[in-house]
Amino acid sequence: MSKYHFTRRFAAAYGETPMRYLTKRRVERAQDLLRSANLTVTEICMMVGFTSLGSFSARFRELVGETPTQYRDRFAAAGTPHIPGCFLFMRGIDRTST
């Protein structure tokens, strides 16, 4: 199956392209980490599979409606406790778990 045929079939089945689907899943994982982990936005960006902080921030804002920092700060103000970043790295949390 060609990549073009796969893309058309995937979009017909799921209503979006494979890349848009993957981007949404990455942003969802980033939202979880921003709410619960004590990591920088850059660390989260790399953990979920983005290679550029700029593209991550742009996509995040496009899908969520606010920047990653604004999103994290909103949950920090609510007093939600964070998981230490070193614990996540020790446990081997990586971008393949999205």
Side-chain angles (χ1 to χ4, degrees), residues 4 11-13 33 39 62:
Y4 305 107
L33 290 170
L39 298 168
E62 176 186 312

Side-chain angles (χ1 to χ4, degrees), residues 6 8 17 26 29 44 49 59 61 64 68 71 75-76 84 98:
F6 171 77
R8 283 192 303 273
T17 65
R26 287 177 174 171
R29 178 67 177 136
I44 291 172
R59 292 291 171 243
R61 185 176 186 133
V64 178
Y71 184 84
F75 282 93
T98 57

Side-chain angles (χ1 to χ4, degrees), residues 3-17:
K3 64 181 180 180
Y4 305 107
H5 184 67
F6 171 77
T7 300
R8 283 192 303 273
R9 297 289 302 265
F10 188 97
Y14 296 101
E16 58 192 350
T17 65

Side-chain angles (χ1 to χ4, degrees), residues 5-87:
H5 184 67
F6 171 77
T7 300
R8 283 192 303 273
R9 297 289 302 265
F10 188 97
Y14 296 101
E16 58 192 350
T17 65
M19 193 62 201
R20 182 167 285 283
Y21 176 85
L22 180 59
T23 299
K24 283 184 178 181
R25 299 297 80 79
R26 287 177 174 171
V27 168
E28 287 173 0
R29 178 67 177 136
Q31 285 178 289
D32 289 340
L33 290 170
L34 287 165
R35 282 191 307 263
S36 63
N38 188 21
L39 298 168
T40 67
V41 173
T42 303
E43 288 171 327
I44 291 172
C45 163
M46 298 301 164
M47 285 180 78
V48 298
F50 283 88
T51 56
S52 162
L53 183 59
S55 63
F56 168 68
S57 295
R59 292 291 171 243
F60 191 96
R61 185 176 186 133
E62 176 186 312
L63 294 172
V64 178
E66 57 190 342
T67 67
T69 302
Q70 291 169 334
Y71 184 84
R72 181 184 56 204
D73 291 347
R74 186 163 47 91
F75 282 93
T80 308
H82 290 285
I83 299 168
C86 60
F87 181 76

